[in-house]
């Protein structure tokens, strides 16, 4: 049942937010070791972020874009990799930033898939 739910959430988030190109977990891990790593943005709540996040991620909750506009402006030249728990909040964030001209990628499967693959998180 859990696998079925995961498959549904993954498919749903991919279909709904297909305008943002996906980056796989493995491609992100490889990129983070490159000379020009992407900036990772975790759009979950501060409490979720504190419980565990992808190493190097910055927490900008999806509903606090305006409060973080100065930081986002400094990140605009970079490619941003966005994720949340299942994709819904990341999609909202991506829609807003795409309209502002940001270069975005969406972490395939979001945090649910990251944890299911037993990839490392930091607190």
């Amino acid at each position: 049942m859990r696998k079925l739910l995961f498959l549904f959430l993954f498919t749903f988030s991919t279909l709904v937010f297909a305008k943002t190109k996906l980056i796989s977990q493995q491609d992100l891990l490889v990129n983070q070791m490159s000379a020009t790593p992407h900036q990772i943005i975790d759009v979950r709540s501060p409490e979720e972020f504190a419980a565990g996040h992808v190493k190097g991620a910055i927490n900008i909750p999806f509903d606090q874009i305006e409060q973080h506009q100065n930081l986002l402006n400094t990140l605009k030249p970079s490619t941003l990799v966005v994720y949340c728990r299942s994709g819904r909040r990341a999609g909202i964030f991506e829609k807003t930033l795409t309209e502002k001209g940001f270069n975005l990628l969406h972490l395939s499967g979001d945090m649910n898939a990251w944890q299911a693959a037993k990839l490392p998180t930091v607190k």
Side-chain angles (χ1 to χ4, degrees):
M1 181 68 169
R2 190 173 197 172
K3 287 183 182 180
L4 183 60
L5 177 62
F6 171 74
L7 180 62
F8 170 76
L9 291 173
F10 176 75
T11 303
F12 174 76
S13 66
T14 302
L15 292 173
V16 172
F17 307 116
K19 291 182 182 181
T20 301
K21 185 177 175 185
L22 294 175
I23 184 169
S24 72
Q25 299 160 355
Q26 294 307 316
D27 285 346
L28 178 60
L29 290 169
V30 169
N31 171 267
Q32 294 313 103
M33 294 185 289
S34 75
T36 56
H38 299 319
Q39 179 58 61
I40 305 168
I41 308 293
D42 183 324
V43 301
R44 299 175 302 154
S45 71
E47 295 79 18
E48 290 171 295
F49 183 81
H53 56 272
V54 175
K55 183 178 180 181
I58 295 173
N59 184 221
I60 303 176
F62 81 102
D63 58 353
Q64 296 180 14
I65 292 172
E66 293 307 317
Q67 295 93 315
H68 292 89
Q69 195 59 57
N70 288 339
L71 172 59
L72 286 166
N73 288 341
T74 67
L75 299 174
K76 193 166 186 178
S78 305
T79 297
L80 307 182
V81 176
V82 181
Y83 74 91
C84 64
R85 184 179 53 82
S86 64
R88 183 187 65 81
R89 292 175 285 181
I92 295 167
F93 187 89
E94 291 162 4
K95 182 178 184 312
T96 302
L97 266 62
T98 297
E99 292 169 355
K100 294 182 179 200
F102 282 79
N103 183 21
L104 305 171
L105 296 171
H106 185 108
L107 179 60
S108 181
D110 296 276
M111 184 55 89
N112 282 340
W114 189 270
Q115 291 173 323
K118 299 189 183 332
L119 293 171
T121 60
V122 296
K123 294 183 179 184

